[in-house]
Each structure stands twice: as C-alpha cells, then as structure tokens.
Amino acid sequence: MAATVTGSVHSFDISVGVDGPGTRFVAFLAGCPLRCQYCHSPDTWYQRNGRPTTVDELVTEIRRYERFIKVAGGGVTLSGGEPLQQPGFVREVLARCKAMGLHTALDTSGFLGDRADDALLDEVDLVLLDIKSGDPDTYRRVTRTGRLTPTIRFAHRLAARGIPIWVRFVLVPGLTDSAANVAAVADIVAGVSTVERVEVLPFHRLGAAKYAALGLDFPLADTEPPGPDLLDRVRGQFRDRGIVVC
C-alpha cells in the first residue's frame, strides 16, 4: 500500500478572478523560504503554522465545491506560503484534481522551482509566477534571503513545456518601483514565450495587523500604496514591450 502523503495546510478559500480563471478553490500551504518585505501573510512562513492534512482530506474538501467550481469555469489553485516547499503533497493533490477534470494552477515565487519534477508539472495547467524584481540586488532587498536566478530558470522551464504563465509583480514605492527595475522585469517577461499577462499588484498594508499579532515589525509600515500616476507609468512600461497588463 502506498504511503499516505501529508502536507501542512494553513487555510483555504473560494476566490473569483484573483487566483486564476473563474471561481477557484484556493488552498494556502504553510511554509516559505523567503521573507518578503511586503508579505501580507507572515502567519504562513513556517510549516508548523499549518494543519497536518492528508491528500485525501484536502481533496474531500475540494469535492464539496466541485460542481460549483466546474459550472463557474474555475478550478483549484495551490498557493502559500510557498507550495513548492511541499512538492510531493502538491503533486498528489494536483493529480487528483486533474483526475476530477478540474483546471489546476500553481501560485509560486519560482524560487524553489527546481523541486518541481516533471511529474508535478504534468499536472499544472497554469502557473501564477511572482517575479519580485528584475534587478538581482533589488530582489535580495525585497526577499531578504533569495536569489533571482532560480525564478528565471523556472520560467524558461515552464515555457519549454508549454505551460501558460501569469506573472505577478508587486509595486512598492521606494522598493520595486524604479524604472530600471521594472524594465528588467519586462525584459525577463518578454523572453518567456508562454507568459499570457502581467498583473501589476499595488502594495498595501492590510497584513499589518498580522505582524502585530505575531510580535513582528512590519518592514513597510511607513510606506504608502502607489498612486495612480506611478501605476500608470509602470503598467505603461510593460505595455510598451507588447506585454498584456492587468
């Protein structure tokens, strides 16, 4: 008998048009190797913050929404934290979802992309790829630990397999907003053939209460969200490269 695969699941939710196409069941897995300054979910940093959950248990929860999701043209998204910190669990959950005829999406920074074997990627219909920055130094400032090259390598691997990608870029005034950094992200995106769109996500401080509850300092507590002029300029930089922007 095959061993039961268990993961650490922080929570789940139903979303519309945010975490992939249509209405989606989104499972947030616990554990992430990065410590992004703008992270709004510090409660997902450690796997111990999640609930031990077997593949069967999570799939049983998904089945409760199966008909509704299918009628609404949606699917299942595994997010985090960083789902590729638990690749075996992710692979099995996605395979079960595909067997149910559900569209599957993986929301990842790509930093742990090398952990996703071909069998896992075979079960993925869409990747929501968070490109933190295009400049390696800025990437390190944002993540406080990571390197940009694994994300780029993962993006090209996805493209080679023909997997559609929606890129996400968080716009933070004073951190990720320089014209040079945005241009570098656009360069990366323009070189990946299966990127369908870029979502420019305005920074917000909605997670500040979570930091306070955990006794942590929020690094961007004094940073204001980007204004409309900055958003227009950044979106325009992507559009000028022929990239679809949302």
Side-chain angles (χ1 to χ4, degrees):
M1 179 181 295
T4 300
V5 180
T6 300
S8 179
V9 177
H10 178 270
S11 56
F12 60 85
D13 199 0
I14 300 296
S15 75
V16 180
V18 177
D19 300 285
T23 299
R24 307 191 71 81
F25 180 101
V26 185
F28 300 94
L29 308 192
C32 183
L34 305 180
R35 295 295 178 266
C36 297
Q37 291 195 49
Y38 54 67
C39 179
H40 60 271
S41 299
D43 49 337
T44 66
W45 284 351
Y46 301 102
Q47 284 185 233
R48 65 174 179 265
N49 294 143
R51 180 174 67 86
T53 305
T54 67
V55 171
D56 283 346
E57 288 172 333
L58 184 55
V59 170
T60 296
E61 195 64 45
I62 293 169
R63 284 193 183 279
R64 294 179 55 204
Y65 302 89
E66 179 183 0
R67 179 172 174 76
F68 172 63
I69 290 170
K70 287 181 175 177
V71 170
V76 174
T77 299
L78 298 188
S79 185
E82 171 51 67
L84 292 182
Q85 190 160 306
Q86 304 179 56
F89 181 72
V90 166
R91 181 175 57 248
E92 296 304 317
V93 172
L94 293 178
R96 295 279 294 276
C97 291
K98 289 285 282 185
M100 293 160 60
L102 293 171
H103 179 277
T104 60
L106 180 67
D107 182 4
T108 176
S109 71
F111 180 66
L112 298 180
D114 290 345
R115 294 192 180 187
D117 60 19
D118 290 347
L120 188 156
L121 295 182
D122 284 344
E123 310 297 345
V124 177
D125 292 317
L126 171 70
V127 171
L128 309 175
L129 186 62
D130 185 4
I131 299 184
K132 314 283 184 180
S133 286
D135 170 68
D137 290 336
T138 304
Y139 189 95
R140 283 191 292 272
R141 285 176 56 210
V142 170
T143 64
R144 298 186 283 186
T145 182
R147 295 176 295 110
L148 174 59
T149 50
T151 297
I152 298 175
R153 184 166 62 242
F154 186 57
H156 285 285
R157 184 174 165 217
L158 295 173
R161 297 179 64 86
I163 298 175
I165 301 169
W166 291 4
V167 167
R168 289 172 159 180
F169 172 67
V170 180
L171 179 59
V172 185
L175 182 62
T176 67
D177 63 334
S178 77
N181 185 52
V182 175
V185 175
D187 285 343
I188 294 169
V189 171
V192 180
S193 61
T194 58
V195 172
E196 296 183 341
R197 62 196 246 183
V198 171
E199 298 176 351
V200 178
L201 305 178
F203 162 74
H204 60 71
R205 294 179 294 200
L206 298 179
K210 292 183 180 180
Y211 284 83
L214 294 170
L216 300 172
D217 292 328
F218 182 34
L220 301 177
D222 298 324
T223 299
E224 294 292 331
D229 290 345
L230 178 56
L231 280 165
D232 286 346
R233 188 264 288 172
V234 170
R235 287 172 175 148
Q237 283 189 260
F238 287 108
R239 290 192 180 105
D240 287 346
R241 297 296 300 275
I243 298 166
V244 175
V245 182
C246 298

